[in-house]
Amino acid sequence: MSELLRVEGLKIAVEGKEILKGLDLTVRTGEIHVIMGSNGAGKSTLFNAVMGNPNYVVTAGHIFFEGKDITAEPVNERAKDGIFMAFQAPIAVQGISVENFIRNAKGTITGETQRIMPFRKKLHKQMDALSMNRSYAQRYVNDGFSGGERKKAEILQMCMLEPKLTMLDEIDSGLDVDAVRIVSETVAQYHNAENSILVITHHSEILQKLKPDFVHILIDGRIVKTGDASLIKEIEANGYDAYKTKAK
């Protein structure tokens, strides 16, 4: 497996406050990594920094993707590189349908015009797999969608855009049992030896399908412990307080 993402000594400030305090992380192709930690630890900050959100200011360190330094690269270029982030709270986008939004994004990323009928056929097949009503394809992005449908729409984008690196920020939050099963099964089916997945979650249900290779505990802006899937049970038994002294 080759190196896909490398984060070195990353420090991130938001509105002048330092959130990440020298974080290191390496992800290779084909791997699934889980980031766990208490609220405010910096999990979403890490994802936003990797995605290139300009509100998250890099004050030190570097981000490499496929060996290229992308620390100063804008969001659209990172998306073209093959990085995708599914948001914890997806927003509505007025004026553009789900189908056109994804079709335009796919064309921009690949540099190829997406023919309407083949694209629509693939889109509908993926919507069926996610138990999404096909009528949602013609609605404005997330406009009037329930929380669960918004999360499914994020996974629909992932499946259609086929990124090399997918970052899922609490994609399972607010979902009922059936929706968690559908989403986790879809992500598991999408994952293969050619792509990698980073997951933020507070729950173990989604991980029963994804089977992570590595679990990282993030405390106060730093990864303080890394292990295999067994670390999840350790966290469930002990909580995060046991690791807070390691972050100092």
Side-chain angles (χ1 to χ4, degrees):
M1 293 184 290
S2 59
E3 179 184 283
L4 184 65
L5 173 73
R6 176 162 41 96
V7 177
E8 287 186 352
L10 191 64
K11 295 185 179 181
I12 299 292
V14 180
E15 297 181 349
K17 180 181 179 181
E18 188 174 69
I19 307 298
L20 297 187
K21 303 175 180 179
L23 187 144
D24 298 302
L25 176 68
T26 299
V27 177
R28 296 175 178 81
T29 54
E31 293 180 343
I32 296 178
H33 290 242
V34 176
I35 310 293
M36 303 187 78
S38 56
N39 291 331
K43 303 183 299 297
S44 294
T45 296
L46 171 62
F47 280 19
N48 276 282
V50 171
M51 196 68 245
N53 187 328
N55 294 323
Y56 295 76
V57 180
V58 178
T59 59
H62 295 273
I63 302 170
F64 297 90
F65 190 72
E66 295 188 309
K68 179 177 69 171
D69 191 337
I70 63 167
T71 310
E73 197 170 68
V75 174
N76 62 314
E77 291 300 321
R78 298 187 197 205
K80 289 180 182 179
D81 290 338
I83 301 175
F84 173 81
M85 178 176 173
F87 292 92
Q88 183 177 347
I91 62 172
V93 181
Q94 296 288 333
I96 184 169
S97 69
V98 169
E99 179 178 316
N100 286 337
F101 178 79
I102 299 176
R103 182 166 166 256
N104 289 339
K106 183 73 171 181
T108 299
I109 290 170
T110 63
E112 300 175 354
T113 301
Q114 302 298 300
R115 295 169 54 208
I116 293 176
M117 295 313 295
F119 180 86
R120 183 173 294 168
K121 182 179 180 180
K122 184 176 180 181
L123 182 72
H124 285 172
K125 181 180 180 180
Q126 195 59 61
M127 293 181 79
D128 292 345
L130 283 164
S131 296
M132 289 185 72
N133 191 306
R134 291 184 180 185
S135 66
Y136 278 76
Q138 303 309 318
R139 292 172 59 174
Y140 291 157
V141 177
N142 293 329
D143 186 33
F145 288 23
S146 68
E149 294 299 338
R150 291 188 181 209
K151 296 296 183 71
K152 287 183 179 181
E154 293 285 284
I155 299 303
L156 177 64
Q157 292 176 48
M158 177 199 73
C159 292
M160 295 299 295
L161 298 179
E162 300 176 301
K164 298 173 184 175
L165 175 66
T166 296
M167 298 183 291
L168 304 177
D169 189 354
E170 293 193 37
I171 197 69
D172 52 343
S173 65
L175 298 183
D176 61 31
V177 174
D178 289 334
V180 169
R181 176 183 55 79
I182 291 168
V183 165
S184 58
E185 286 178 351
T186 303
V187 175
Q189 290 168 6
Y190 171 76
H191 177 250
N192 58 43
E194 303 301 319
N195 61 52
S196 302
I197 297 175
L198 277 168
V199 184
I200 293 173
T201 184
H202 290 289
H203 310 287
S204 60
E205 288 84 357
I206 192 170
L207 303 180
Q208 294 174 5
K209 295 288 185 182
L210 295 185
K211 303 185 187 310
D213 298 291
F214 297 96
V215 177
H216 309 277
I217 300 177
L218 182 57
I219 301 290
D220 193 26
R222 297 184 180 91
I223 291 175
V224 298
K225 186 169 183 177
T226 295
D228 58 20
S230 65
L231 186 54
I232 297 169
K233 292 184 179 180
E234 183 180 310
I235 295 168
E236 291 175 341
N238 302 324
Y240 295 113
D241 286 345
Y243 307 99
K244 289 183 178 179
T245 56
K246 299 178 181 180
K248 296 179 180 180

